[in-house]
Amino acid sequence: MIQKEKLEALLGNCPIGHTLIIKEVTDSTNLDIKRAAESGAVHGTVAVGEQQTAGKGRRGRTWVSPPGENLYFSMMLCPDFAAEKASMVTLVMALAVAQAVRSIGLDAGIKWPNDVVTGGKKICGILTELFFREDNSFYVVIGTGINVNQRQFPEEIQATATSLLLARREAVDREALLAGVLLYFSEYYDKLVRCGDLSGLRNEYESLLVNLGASVEVLDPKGAWKGTAQGIDNAGELLVCHEDGHVEAVYAGEVSVRGIYGYV
């Protein structure tokens, strides 16, 4: 079980995680935060679950949540910027997770927009949801799942998923890792708010982008096409160069991107 006192000590005065909701079993930490928000929770509240019974991934997928091995957590943000910019916090979280993982000695990177990978396999997924209140104010819930000490994966995802334990060949302190993620996120989120976009984080994000310079296939509902990833713009859209040389900004909410020769 995640130790609340230990996590609080590691976080110190960090504005993200000042209020912690920790449950042994929950349906979804995103739902925990949504319920907390409806009961008056404030910016920076974080919910952690040892096990989720209804964890969600992007595009309606289920997030497998075995108990006691991994990290499943969500946070509430009340951004001081327009709602249409909320998707940028997803990239901020990916950057925070990647840097926290790198701090324990693993070569983590980011598969645009928000999958954190090591050794070509996924170790983290992020789901961001936007909720409006009756007064037209809004809040953002960012749910994150990190494969930390999981030893086995279902056969259908073994080729694309791994855990920090399997990659590092030793167990990882989950409280220390979670504190690291939240501390990095707090730093990066402040920069996002100050800049109003990802311009202040763009170089750091691109330095970890495994798609950078790679051939990718853009899975657009209007028709798939191929090009070369050239980085991101200040809004977090992926810049992809077509074969004819023109560059198109790809929005993650509309399409997905995969490598030509595999998952990344």
Side-chain angles (χ1 to χ4, degrees), residues 247-262:
V247 176
E248 181 174 342
V250 175
Y251 176 56
E254 299 172 349
V255 304
S256 60
V257 170
R258 68 183 178 193
I260 299 295
Y261 304 111

Side-chain angles (χ1 to χ4, degrees), residues 77-129:
L77 300 176
C78 299
D80 188 21
F81 48 72
E84 56 264 26
K85 294 185 176 183
S87 62
M88 292 188 292
V89 299
T90 310
L91 281 73
V92 174
M93 177 57 80
L95 182 57
V97 172
Q99 292 291 30
V101 170
R102 292 173 73 85
S103 74
I104 63 170
L106 283 175
D107 187 20
I110 302 169
K111 175 184 176 288
W112 182 86
N114 60 354
D115 285 352
V116 180
V117 299
T118 187
K121 293 186 177 183
K122 182 175 178 177
I123 54 172
C124 171
I126 300 164
L127 175 67
T128 300
E129 298 181 290

Side-chain angles (χ1 to χ4, degrees), residues 43-205:
H43 177 88
T45 299
V46 173
V48 186
E50 276 290 290
Q51 180 181 9
Q52 294 184 118
T53 59
K56 294 189 297 180
R58 289 184 72 228
R59 304 182 189 276
R61 300 184 183 99
T62 300
W63 183 269
V64 179
S65 307
E69 298 178 336
N70 301 325
L71 284 173
Y72 318 113
F73 61 98
S74 300
M75 68 174 63
M76 177 184 175
L77 300 176
C78 299
D80 188 21
F81 48 72
E84 56 264 26
K85 294 185 176 183
S87 62
M88 292 188 292
V89 299
T90 310
L91 281 73
V92 174
M93 177 57 80
L95 182 57
V97 172
Q99 292 291 30
V101 170
R102 292 173 73 85
S103 74
I104 63 170
L106 283 175
D107 187 20
I110 302 169
K111 175 184 176 288
W112 182 86
N114 60 354
D115 285 352
V116 180
V117 299
T118 187
K121 293 186 177 183
K122 182 175 178 177
I123 54 172
C124 171
I126 300 164
L127 175 67
T128 300
E129 298 181 290
L130 177 67
F131 297 100
F132 283 91
R133 297 187 174 94
E134 290 183 0
D135 62 1
N136 211 36
S137 65
F138 70 95
Y139 62 93
V140 175
V141 179
I142 310 175
T144 306
I146 306 175
N147 300 331
V148 183
N149 292 323
Q150 189 169 342
R151 295 181 179 276
Q152 295 181 324
F153 290 85
E155 185 176 350
E156 62 269 21
I157 62 172
Q158 286 179 2
T160 57
T162 190
S163 69
L164 301 182
L165 180 148
L166 293 176
R168 194 171 177 240
R169 298 185 180 179
E170 63 178 309
V172 172
D173 183 319
R174 291 186 300 156
E175 289 91 349
L177 180 65
L178 178 53
V181 172
L182 299 182
L183 288 164
Y184 272 115
F185 182 87
S186 180
E187 174 189 344
Y188 295 148
Y189 181 77
D190 282 350
K191 188 170 288 188
L192 171 68
V193 172
R194 289 198 307 271
C195 295
D197 58 22
L198 292 168
S199 58
L201 297 169
R202 186 172 167 181
N203 288 343
E204 188 168 353
Y205 181 92

